[in-house]
Amino acid sequence: MITIEWYKQFRRPMTYATLCIVGLFSVILTAALVATGSGQTEFVGDLPLLIVPRTSGFSVPIIALSSTMKFFLPLAVSLFAGESVAGDASWGSLRYTMARPMSRSRILWSKATVAAVLSAIAVATLILVALLIGGLTFGWHPLSVVDGSTSTPGHPQVDVVHVGAMLGHLGVAALYVGAGMASIFAVAFFLSTTTRRPLVAVAGGVAVTIISRIFNADYLPGVQVVNRFMPNNDIDLWQHLLTRSASLSGIPHFLVLQAVYVVVFMGLAQVWFMRKDILD
């Protein structure tokens, strides 16, 4: 069944279009850095992290991941998850799939597995293309990072991350951001089982990250209680790996929260799909 789902997904233009757009983002980003001649220290993301983009090709995957992890990547993941069941329902092919002599659980989890793999490929594509195009353009040199949280005017705290360590950091960052997409995937996949309109499921997945940004204590004081349960707020903690002084205490809570969202919403998807009207 997984083979059938895999073949089905790669017959859809949306699959190729999504992955190509994800890869193209890194190319456009590199071209923008070259065109602007950015040789000055720039902030990356919401954390007090500063780099000089053109000094190393490793700056490109860092900037690409930082600028896409809170909307663009969630959109790609929501597309794969939201299309998985609702796409077949909209085309009318779901009823024929469910009429086959196989359990509904097997059908559901085959779709979930293929959608999850495609989501992981999207994250990997972003980083690998950014690493390749950044290295070819600026060279694979050690990256100098300024820790804004410990630096003072005239006395910047500079950490030089060498090539081997940088590759390791990017690998961990990819795994961390990929794990951070799990809650978005679970919500979009659940919604995909409840509707015949893929756009509804995709919008629901994207809404998760938007609501997380709204109920963020850094921007909206007084929401600390709700803030702890928003699944996308701490997705930028991987940036602390590039500095020596930052605390990584929020990472375990973030990963546990992702697991809770996955268990709850994938469980709801299972219950809903098992009771779904085959003629729906």
Side-chain angles (χ1 to χ4, degrees):
M1 188 63 195
I2 291 180
T3 303
I4 295 174
E5 288 298 324
W6 190 259
Y7 176 73
K8 186 187 300 181
Q9 284 292 338
F10 273 94
R11 290 184 60 189
R12 292 174 174 171
M14 184 206 72
T15 301
Y16 294 100
T18 302
L19 294 177
C20 287
I21 291 173
V22 168
L24 185 61
F25 177 86
S26 298
V27 178
I28 296 174
L29 172 63
T30 304
L33 292 175
V34 172
T36 56
S38 181
Q40 310 238 342
T41 303
E42 304 283 351
F43 278 100
V44 177
D46 296 331
L47 300 181
L49 185 71
L50 301 95
I51 61 175
V52 180
R54 294 187 64 181
T55 58
S56 171
F58 287 110
S59 63
V60 178
I62 291 175
I63 297 173
L65 196 57
S66 299
S67 56
T68 60
M69 63 187 178
K70 293 183 178 180
F71 183 78
F72 190 55
L73 279 180
L75 175 59
V77 170
S78 296
L79 282 169
F80 290 130
E83 178 75 17
S84 56
V85 179
D88 283 358
S90 66
W91 285 99
S93 60
L94 182 61
R95 67 184 66 180
Y96 301 108
T97 301
M98 295 174 68
R100 293 175 179 174
M102 62 181 66
S103 68
R104 292 191 175 193
S105 291
R106 183 179 176 186
I107 294 173
L108 180 70
W109 291 105
S110 295
K111 291 180 177 295
T113 299
V114 172
V117 171
L118 288 173
S119 299
I121 290 175
V123 177
T125 298
L126 176 76
I127 294 179
L128 291 176
V129 173
L131 182 61
L132 177 62
I133 193 69
L136 291 175
T137 305
F138 303 123
W140 289 284
H141 308 299
L143 180 67
S144 297
V145 180
V146 178
D147 186 353
S149 62
T150 59
S151 298
T152 58
H155 296 85
Q157 177 65 49
V158 181
D159 296 316
V160 178
V161 187
H162 294 282
V163 174
M166 195 66 241
L167 290 173
H169 291 335
L170 285 176
V172 173
L175 292 174
Y176 184 78
V177 172
M181 296 294 109
S183 57
I184 297 165
F185 177 91
V187 172
F189 188 80
F190 163 64
L191 292 175
S192 185
T193 65
T194 67
T195 180
R196 296 171 59 91
R197 297 178 177 85
L199 184 60
V200 173
V202 174
V206 174
V208 172
T209 189
I210 294 175
I211 293 173
S212 290
R213 295 291 287 168
I214 293 173
F215 288 97
N216 190 324
D218 293 337
Y219 308 109
L220 187 63
V223 297
Q224 286 84 353
V225 174
V226 179
N227 181 60
R228 289 184 53 81
F229 301 101
M230 292 293 101
N232 202 236
N233 282 346
D234 291 331
I235 198 169
D236 54 1
L237 292 182
W238 63 269
Q239 294 175 341
H240 286 312
L241 295 172
L242 301 173
T243 64
R244 292 177 293 180
S245 60
S247 171
L248 304 180
S249 59
I251 290 180
H253 174 265
F254 177 78
L255 296 177
V256 169
L257 192 60
Q258 299 303 307
V260 171
Y261 269 81
V262 169
V263 169
V264 171
F265 283 96
M266 295 304 286
L268 289 173
Q270 169 81 14
V271 172
W272 191 281
F273 194 74
M274 293 298 289
R275 301 174 61 184
K276 189 178 184 70
D277 185 353
I278 196 171
L279 297 178
D280 185 16

